[in-house]
């Protein structure tokens, strides 16, 4: 069973049953336990879900769906609990999900038992099961269990840490341990020349600006871009190190954060970079730049930037639409009948991305 199938089945199970007050996990078969565990987990009935997961752990089974279900649902419950506690959420008697440190400990213990059972079976299972477990342990701030699961994972044949592993670790570390721990993990990733997903980088950049560390945010940006920038002297980066480039949200975060940090010149340089790194600079990105300047009280600078970049953004959008049209025409034509304008465009494209 592939991971895609596992996640689809878990999702379907979550929507396919009803809460029953008379349900007895010990007398149910594995299929019923799977369905009720998914339903309880999705509905926020943490105590009933943990009872079902504990019963599943006691059964003799090598079904990968069992391990996938427990890892996904406990990860979701711990993630929700971590988000609530980090935002000062006040728990009421009717609150759903994990409601105390004791229930959090029960959840991590249940997941730990599941992973130990998985390791004992020595079966082939998708790496994302381990990713869910590692992320859950980090969010629960259980360093020992997260390290143990990671160490056991890398011992499995063909299960070494991937870029996705580090992206999971970065996001979880940011939420649980704070921005310094996440940045230290980013430094380890960079030392191994590993790629960073744009979503992970955006989370890290946002956190660094919130922690008033704009220099580190630019450090992440320079690594994403994979080449020296006027902002940071990274002469060692001469090629793109990630298949996922910066996205519009990356630039929006950087521009707004730099302006708020009183680094207006740097924000302008990042905006200039967008013209060579994005396939199209949307009007909304310019509006983000202008609004950030106006919020900082820099109305003259905002007016000057609007005048300077407005026409350029409009032309970039027109060029993008023309390219889209030419490619559509090229796809409809025979290979030897491409329009000459298509070949004329290629040197310009390659030059822009040098």
């Amino acid at each position: 069973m592939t991971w895609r199938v596992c996640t689809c089945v878990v999702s379907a199970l979550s929507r396919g049953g009803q809460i029953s007050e008379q349900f007895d996990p010990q007398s149910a078969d594995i299929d019923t336990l799977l369905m009720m565990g998914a339903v309880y987990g999705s509905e926020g009935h943490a105590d009933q879900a943990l009872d079902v997961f504990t019963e599943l752990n006691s059964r003799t089974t090598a079904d990968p769906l069992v391990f996938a279900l427990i890892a996904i649902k406990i990860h979701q419950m711990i993630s929700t609990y971590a988000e609530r506690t980090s935002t000062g959420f006040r728990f009421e008697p009717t609150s759903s999900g994990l409601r105390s440190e004791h229930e959090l400990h029960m959840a991590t213990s249940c997941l730990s038992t599941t992973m130990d059972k998985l390791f004992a079976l020595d079966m082939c299972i998708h790496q994302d099961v381990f990713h869910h477990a590692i992320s859950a342990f980090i969010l629960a701030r259980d360093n020992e269990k997260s390290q143990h699961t990671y160490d056991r994972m890398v011992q499995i044949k063909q299960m070494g840490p991937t870029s996705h592993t580090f992206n999971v670790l970065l996001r979880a570390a940011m939420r649980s341990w704070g921005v310094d721990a996440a940045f230290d993990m980013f430094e380890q990733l960079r030392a191994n020349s590993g790629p960073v997903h744009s979503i992970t980088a955006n989370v890290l950049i946002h956190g660094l600006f919130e922690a008033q560390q704009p220099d580190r945010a630019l450090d992440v940006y320079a690594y994403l871009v994979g080449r020296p920038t006027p902002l940071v002297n990274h002469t060692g980066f001469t090629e793109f190190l990630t298949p996922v480039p910066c996205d519009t949200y990356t630039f929006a975060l950087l521009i707004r954060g730099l302006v708020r940090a009183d680094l207006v010149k740097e924000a302008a340089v990042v905006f200039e970079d967008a013209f060579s790194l994005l396939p199209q600079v949307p009007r909304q990105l310019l509006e983000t730049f202008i609004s950030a300047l106006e919020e900082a009280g820099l109305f003259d600078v905002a007016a000057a930037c609007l005048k300077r970049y407005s026409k350029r953004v409009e032309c970039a959008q027109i060029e993008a639409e023309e390219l889209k049209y030419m490619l559509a025409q090229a796809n409809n034509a025979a290979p030897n009948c491409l329009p000459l304008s298509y070949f004329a465009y290629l040197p310009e494209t390659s030059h822009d991305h040098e």
Side-chain angles (χ1 to χ4, degrees), residues 223-295:
Y223 184 74
L224 258 188
V225 172
R227 61 170 173 73
T229 72
L231 306 173
V232 186
N233 184 24
H234 282 275
T235 56
F237 298 124
T238 57
E239 298 177 353
F240 277 85
L241 299 178
T242 169
V244 183
C246 304
D247 56 22
T248 304
Y249 191 54
T250 308
F251 286 99
L253 284 170
L254 283 163
I255 290 169
R256 185 173 293 278
L258 289 169
V259 171
R260 289 177 176 176
D262 199 25
L263 297 171
V264 178
K265 185 180 295 184
E266 288 80 357
V269 174
V270 169
F271 187 77
E272 287 279 355
D273 269 353
F275 287 96
S276 60
L277 295 175
L278 290 178
Q280 175 184 351
V281 178
R283 177 76 183 184
Q284 291 87 339
L285 188 60
L286 175 59
E287 292 172 353
T288 297
F289 190 16
I290 300 304
S291 64
L293 291 170
E294 291 176 345
E295 289 172 8

Side-chain angles (χ1 to χ4, degrees), residues 155-176:
Q155 292 172 7
I156 299 174
K157 185 179 180 181
Q158 297 180 342
M159 197 69 84
T162 63
S163 60
H164 182 49
T165 305
F166 284 104
N167 283 313
V168 168
L169 293 172
L170 272 172
R171 288 197 295 272
M174 172 70 77
R175 291 181 59 186
S176 182

Side-chain angles (χ1 to χ4, degrees), residues 195-217:
V196 181
H197 195 281
S198 60
I199 296 175
T200 304
N202 291 344
V203 172
L204 189 54
I205 288 170
H206 173 74
L208 290 167
F209 277 123
E210 288 292 312
Q212 298 182 348
Q213 299 179 27
D215 292 342
R216 280 181 163 183

